[in-house]
């Protein structure tokens, strides 16, 4: 039986009638841009996250660069972020004409190594963008402490961490703003592109709302050059149906991760991700040591088990930035070792058994 890296059909099976009803309601309403569903979803998310403002946007990428612009980042500014993330993180900085300044990651967490943060700060630094990679919260206590000491803004990249917590607070609510993605495979996924910016800052919220609507607070009274970046109404209606289930979904992901960790505990040759508090396992990502990563991936592919390498090239080494940055040894190493296994909230034990038996067989052969 083939095992995909992600199976969205259990969610669709469970929520089908509610989703169809929501879609029908939007289609009949004639409101396809913003309208009641986007406003209601924004209120629901703000209540769930415990923030004053939630602004629905067209994608997580837009949430990052609109967030940065609303926080005052300008061309020529420097923004510190992590080497090990999806390119949208650095791209959003470059898109504004600012410069991404990279800091290497910690081996254990895949997140920004806060001990290297201070050395990356210059007089041009204006912001830090920590990424809660694979759903594991970054060390926000340290990030916020350094940011406060240097007067820097903090925009959290929460594209992979919807529902992840640091103590009782949700990621995206600790810094000045949080950027979320509703790309279909994310923990809270739409059936198309979608994103959101969360903030407690009234001014950041006001500017972000203007930026998403061509730089206007009032229609046809444009005050700045903005974007067309509204959360699609149909996607908002879908997300309203899914949001009440996010805690159960994330708990399901944690259960799957725990079962993998238990099954792999006695295997040499790989390092499992720690099941830290607040981690929501957007991905379950192993480190395969001794140069066997690609062989394991091929072996699993041969058994129809899908895996992915997130990410084969750290952001600083992508062709677009060629020659601009020094080497970052930890993310260089991780790029050669990481392998993400199938995980989704409703993954059954029988489905998971296929994967973990195959991994165990690979290492015992
Ligand atoms: C998915 C993702 C984004 C971009 O989100 P989109 O909605 O696809 O634009 C940004 N950062 C990270 C870490 C992501 O995983």
């Amino acid at each position: 039986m083939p095992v995909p890296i992600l199976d969205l059909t259990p969610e669709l099976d469970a929520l089908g009638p509610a989703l169809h009803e929501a879609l029908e309601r939007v289609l009949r309403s004639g409101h396809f841009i913003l309208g009641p569903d986007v406003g209601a979803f924004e209120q629901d998310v703000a209540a769930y996250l415990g923030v004053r403002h939630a602004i629905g946007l067209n994608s997580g990428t837009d949430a990052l660069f609109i967030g940065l612009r609303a926080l005052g980042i300008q061309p020529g500014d420097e923004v510190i972020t992590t080497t090990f993330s999806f390119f949208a993180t650095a791209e959003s900085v470059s898109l504004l004409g600012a410069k991404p300044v990279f800091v290497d990651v910690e081996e254990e967490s895949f997140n920004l190594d806060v001990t290297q943060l201070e050395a990356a700060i210059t007089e041009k630094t204006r912001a830090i963008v920590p990424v809660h990679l694979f759903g594991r919260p970054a060390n926000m206590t340290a990030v916020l402490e350094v940011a406060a000491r240097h007067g820097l803004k903090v925009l959290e990249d929460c594209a992979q961490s919807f529902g992840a917590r640091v103590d009782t607070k949700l990621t995206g609510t600790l810094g000045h703003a949080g950027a979320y993605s509703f790309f279909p495979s994310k923990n809270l996924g739409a059936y198309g592109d979608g994103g959101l910016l969360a903030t407690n800052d009234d001014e950041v919220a006001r500017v972000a709302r203007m930026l998403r609507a061509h730089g206007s607070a009032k229609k046809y009274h444009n005050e700045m050059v903005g974007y067309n970046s509204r959360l699609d109404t149909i996607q908002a209606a879908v997300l309203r149906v899914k949001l009440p289930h996010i805690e159960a979904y994330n708990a399901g992901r944690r259960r799957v991760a725990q079962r993998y960790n238990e099954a792999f505990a006695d295997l040499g040759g790989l390092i499992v991700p720690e099941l830290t508090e607040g981690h929501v396992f957007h991905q379950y990502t192993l480190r395969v040591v001794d140069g066997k990563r690609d062989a394991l991936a091929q072996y699993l592919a041969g058994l129809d088990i899908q895996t992915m390498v997130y990410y084969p090239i750290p952001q600083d080494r992508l062709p677009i930035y060629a020659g601009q940055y020094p080497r970052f040894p930890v993310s260089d190493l991780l790029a050669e070792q990481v392998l993400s296994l199938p995980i989704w909230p409703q993954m059954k034990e029988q489905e998971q058994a296929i994967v973990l038996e195959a991994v165990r067989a690979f290492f015992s052969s």
Side-chain angles (χ1 to χ4, degrees), residues 7-300:
D7 186 358
L8 291 171
T9 54
E11 202 174 280
L12 187 59
D13 289 340
L15 303 179
L19 288 167
H20 283 280
E21 208 179 286
L23 292 176
E24 179 77 14
R25 187 185 66 244
V26 176
L27 297 186
R28 299 253 166 233
S29 77
H31 268 287
F32 302 116
I33 306 296
L34 298 177
D37 275 281
V38 174
F41 175 65
E42 289 175 338
Q43 280 185 8
D44 293 348
V45 172
Y48 171 76
L49 295 175
V51 285
R52 287 170 60 80
H53 306 282
I55 300 121
L57 302 169
N58 185 57
S59 70
T61 306
D62 288 22
L64 285 167
F65 71 70
I66 286 177
L68 286 171
R69 246 188 94 178
L71 286 167
I73 304 312
Q74 299 191 353
D77 289 348
E78 291 182 0
V79 175
I80 298 175
T81 192
T82 153
T83 49
F84 207 53
S85 182
F86 176 58
F87 175 53
T89 310
E91 185 185 30
S92 62
V93 177
S94 293
L95 200 57
L96 297 182
K99 183 186 180 204
V101 171
F102 294 107
V103 166
D104 209 350
V105 292
E106 303 168 332
E107 273 189 57
E108 300 73 29
S109 69
F110 305 127
N111 285 328
L112 201 117
D113 182 348
V114 292
T115 65
Q116 299 186 35
L117 205 46
E118 203 112 35
I121 296 173
T122 73
E123 71 281 0
K124 289 186 182 169
T125 310
R126 295 288 173 272
I128 305 171
V129 180
V131 180
H132 306 296
L133 199 74
F134 305 147
R136 175 170 171 164
N139 183 346
M140 288 305 293
T141 311
V143 169
L144 293 173
E145 192 270 317
V146 173
R149 202 141 33 78
H150 294 270
L152 306 177
K153 301 291 185 193
V154 175
L155 174 66
E156 297 173 65
D157 184 338
C158 302
Q160 304 187 1
S161 73
F162 196 100
R165 283 186 172 79
V166 177
D167 297 323
T168 56
K169 282 198 169 177
L170 286 140
T171 53
T173 71
L174 295 111
H176 297 94
Y180 301 83
S181 166
F182 305 124
F183 185 87
S185 65
K186 301 293 164 87
N187 290 41
L188 180 63
Y191 292 130
D193 278 310
L196 181 132
L197 189 75
T199 182
N200 282 309
D201 187 314
D202 296 348
E203 183 58 16
V204 170
R206 189 186 70 83
V207 175
R209 276 189 193 282
M210 287 184 28
L211 287 174
R212 80 170 172 185
H214 303 284
S216 62
K218 190 173 163 203
K219 211 171 187 182
Y220 309 130
H221 287 71
N222 311 69
E223 297 168 52
M224 54 171 85
V225 176
Y227 314 94
N228 177 354
S229 180
R230 298 159 296 220
L231 175 61
D232 186 88
T233 308
I234 287 178
Q235 302 306 336
V238 164
L239 290 164
R240 282 180 76 190
V241 173
K242 291 194 181 186
L243 179 63
H245 303 279
I246 189 66
E247 290 284 317
Y249 290 163
N250 284 339
R253 288 175 178 275
R254 286 180 61 87
R255 268 197 302 279
V256 173
Q258 186 170 2
R259 290 203 295 259
Y260 274 136
N261 277 8
E262 283 163 8
F264 300 151
D266 61 332
L267 290 184
L270 54 78
I271 301 169
V272 300
E274 295 171 299
L275 200 92
T276 52
E277 210 166 312
H279 192 331
V280 293
F281 286 93
H282 172 60
Q283 298 296 341
Y284 178 85
T285 303
L286 293 170
R287 292 172 59 194
V288 186
V289 296
D290 303 328
K292 290 198 179 136
R293 191 266 311 275
D294 294 342
L296 174 60
Q298 264 174 30
Y299 178 81
L300 296 174

Side-chain angles (χ1 to χ4, degrees), residues 299-318:
Y299 178 81
L300 296 174
L303 297 169
D304 257 341
I305 297 168
Q306 193 186 4
T307 61
M308 294 295 279
V309 173
Y310 303 117
Y311 295 90
I313 306 175
Q315 295 193 97
D316 55 287
R317 296 189 54 201
L318 290 169

